[in-house]
Amino acid sequence: PISVLITAGPTHEPIDPVRYLSNRSSGKMGYALAEAAVRRGAKVVLVSGPTALQPPPAAETVFVQTAQKMRTAVLDRWEQATFIIMAAAVADYHVAQISEQKIKRGGPLTLQLESNPDILADLGSLREASGKSSPVLIGFAAETENLLDNARGKLTRKRVDAIVVNDVSLAGIGFDSDRNEVTIITATDV
């Protein structure tokens, strides 16, 4: 059977024991894709960041919190996949120094942020280095401006087969919605 690896939800990057950096992703897109793939008979591995959603019972689900944990889960499984759909909204940054204790309120606070790994770009590089054309790599781009140009750039830089781009600044679609409106960019569209 076809094997589909899907990422979903946000990641939570700790600041201290009670706070984290994240984004508005609900995970609905990734979970819906996992459900659709299961219904079509695929063997599905769902790597999920923190959400309130219930995964499809037939999917193997790996729950993670951080971008680094998601990266590890994906890279441990990527070679077995026929398709990889990176629908998760992985946090772009993590805090350089996580406080071991709760940070108390008391004036301005500056956090030093460092870039998280780019899991999709890592997959594109690994696939290219393997000399194989599989798995098929599909990424997502939540954008607020220059949607098509940004998606085309992402497609090329990350060496993937398709980018699903949506305008998250539009009300009623995208984040926390059961509706979405996307454009799919492939190499023939660049």
Side-chain angles (χ1 to χ4, degrees):
I2 291 176
S3 177
V4 183
L5 173 61
I6 300 171
T7 63
T11 59
H12 289 177
E13 307 300 327
I15 296 170
D16 65 18
V18 299
R19 297 179 184 89
Y20 56 82
L21 296 175
S22 193
N23 56 56
R24 294 177 45 205
S25 174
S26 65
K28 288 182 177 185
M29 175 65 76
Y31 276 62
L33 290 166
E35 180 65 42
V38 164
R39 278 196 319 268
R40 286 168 176 76
K43 177 182 180 288
V44 175
V45 176
L46 176 63
V47 179
S48 177
T51 75
L53 303 172
Q54 291 298 311
E60 173 192 342
T61 305
V62 180
F63 295 101
V64 298
Q65 293 285 319
T66 66
Q68 188 57 55
K69 295 287 186 185
M70 184 171 283
R71 180 182 187 272
T72 298
V74 168
L75 294 187
D76 284 350
R77 294 161 178 84
W78 81 276
E79 291 181 288
Q80 291 78 45
T82 310
F83 293 89
I84 299 178
I85 304 172
M86 298 291 293
V90 179
D92 292 326
Y93 296 95
H94 66 272
V95 177
Q97 187 65 42
I98 301 167
S99 175
E100 291 183 22
Q101 303 300 322
K102 178 182 174 187
I103 299 169
K104 301 295 184 191
R105 183 185 337 220
L109 174 67
T110 301
L111 297 173
Q112 178 73 34
L113 302 180
E114 295 179 352
S115 290
N116 270 326
D118 187 330
I119 305 167
L120 185 59
D122 290 347
L123 289 168
S125 295
L126 285 168
R127 184 180 67 176
E128 185 174 278
S130 76
K132 299 177 184 174
S133 60
S134 65
V136 173
L137 298 176
I138 302 168
F140 276 68
E143 299 289 346
T144 59
E145 62 182 353
N146 303 320
L147 276 67
L148 299 181
D149 288 341
N150 288 338
R152 287 182 187 109
K154 192 173 195 177
L155 179 94
T156 303
R157 279 191 320 278
K158 297 176 190 259
R159 301 181 201 107
V160 299
D161 300 294
I163 295 289
V164 180
V165 61
N166 63 319
D167 185 345
V168 295
S169 68
L170 297 176
I173 62 171
F175 290 128
D176 294 321
S177 176
D178 290 334
R179 297 181 58 237
N180 206 342
E181 182 178 306
V182 301
T183 301
I184 300 172
I185 304 291
T186 66
T188 59
D189 300 314
V190 172

